[in-house]
Amino acid sequence: MSIQENYNNIKSQLPENVELVAVSKTHPVSAIQEVYNLGQRVFGENKVQELTEKHPLLPKDIQWHLIGHLQTNKVKYIAEFIDTIQSVDSEKLLNEINKEAAKNKRAIKVLLQVKIAEEESKFGLEISETKDLFQKFINGDFPNVEITGLMGMATFTEDETQIRKEFSILKNLFDELNQIRKLETLSMGMSDDFPIAIESGANSVRVGSAIFGRRDYSI
Ligand SMILES: *Cc1c(COP(=O)(O)O)cnc(C)c1O
């Protein structure tokens, strides 16, 4: 299937209230431009260097989301233009984003990445850490950051029950924090599990290979 067919196919499966983040990591600028021309404006990349290389070559109205683990010393390279950092997994990182956003006289939207997968390898905050950080945000500790929601990744497994269980943990936390202060975005679901994520309450999905095709290496 072509990129266009893939894209239309994914779009047709998304309810109107669900945002699509097209994950373009490892794919060339030409492929991103093709999806842009179909109307897509929100794209996700997981590496700062790749993002900073692609960003100047593409239309200015793309909303770039950083979805991969971010080292504090690299925040400065994206602070000027990044729309949303979905992968905030420490207070140190949040402090750095706040500092760099202030330098650029702006606010940066972020999602707190919560560890919901049983797999050891996944980054993310524990539930208690997430609540603590959110409270500090409400107390005004990060004035140049806007926490707009939560992001999570389920275990890479065929076991649908397991995936549903993990997504529901994040949905429950989202509902709890949303009572304290209104949140916009619950980002969960990728190419293989986005329909389950939507059933579990996601209103933003991050889809890469189902649009752009297989990546040559897995990340
Ligand atoms: C690569 C990636 C995706 C997209 O994965 P696909 O399986 O290609 O859809 C989503 N979220 C994160 C955090 C990723 O790193």
Side-chain angles (χ1 to χ4, degrees):
M1 285 222 283
S2 68
I3 286 183
Q4 177 165 3
E5 285 168 325
N6 289 341
Y7 180 73
N8 291 338
N9 177 32
I10 296 293
K11 284 294 278 186
S12 72
Q13 294 177 64
L14 302 182
E16 232 171 74
N17 67 317
V18 175
E19 171 191 57
L20 172 63
V21 178
V23 176
S24 49
K25 65 191 187 196
T26 77
H27 295 286
V29 163
S30 57
I32 300 173
Q33 184 69 52
E34 187 178 344
V35 175
Y36 176 93
N37 292 346
L38 298 170
Q40 181 67 22
R41 292 295 177 269
V42 186
F43 289 87
E45 288 279 342
N46 72 332
K47 292 207 161 88
V48 166
Q49 189 179 340
E50 189 174 341
L51 174 55
T52 53
E53 282 168 18
K54 288 172 171 176
H55 166 253
L57 306 174
L58 283 154
K60 289 292 151 260
D61 63 342
I62 287 182
Q63 295 158 40
W64 290 105
H65 286 213
L66 201 283
I67 61 168
H69 180 64
L70 177 58
Q71 289 169 283
T72 48
N73 61 355
K74 294 193 175 159
V75 175
K76 56 178 176 287
Y77 301 118
I78 58 170
E80 191 189 343
F81 69 87
I82 198 78
D83 180 82
T84 302
I85 298 172
Q86 292 209 4
S87 41
V88 171
D89 57 6
S90 73
E91 181 167 357
K92 186 169 159 237
L93 178 58
L94 199 53
N95 266 319
E96 183 67 16
I97 294 169
N98 184 60
K99 196 180 90 191
E100 291 297 327
K103 270 193 204 164
N104 285 279
K105 299 189 169 51
R106 61 175 299 223
I108 295 179
K109 289 185 279 184
V110 308
L111 306 183
L112 300 180
Q113 181 176 354
V114 186
K115 185 173 161 20
I116 52 172
E118 272 184 358
E119 289 166 311
E120 260 318 306
S121 61
K122 302 264 154 108
F123 288 104
L125 297 156
E126 302 294 336
I127 303 241
S128 59
E129 292 176 309
T130 310
K131 291 180 182 175
D132 287 350
L133 264 191
F134 193 63
Q135 194 54 54
K136 287 181 178 172
F137 163 66
I138 289 172
N139 294 347
D141 281 13
F142 315 104
N144 288 76
V145 160
E146 180 74 35
I147 297 179
T148 58
L150 303 178
M151 185 269 258
M153 262 188 281
T155 301
F156 185 70
T157 173
E158 301 271 291
D159 182 356
E160 217 183 286
T161 312
Q162 173 79 19
I163 296 171
R164 280 184 200 280
K165 192 179 94 192
E166 293 174 359
F167 283 154
S168 81
I169 291 171
L170 195 57
K171 170 69 162 108
N172 288 338
L173 179 61
F174 179 85
D175 289 344
E176 189 181 329
L177 299 184
N178 189 42
Q179 299 274 314
I180 304 170
R181 181 173 165 146
K182 192 100 194 86
L183 291 175
E184 284 165 22
T185 306
L186 179 56
S187 169
M188 47 188 202
M190 320 189 352
S191 291
D192 289 336
D193 59 13
F194 75 86
I196 303 176
I198 292 168
E199 283 170 23
S200 307
N203 63 9
S204 183
V205 294
R206 310 175 307 273
V207 178
S209 41
I211 297 172
F212 292 98
R214 191 181 135 256
R215 287 180 294 275
D216 288 336
Y217 56 97
S218 66
I219 295 166

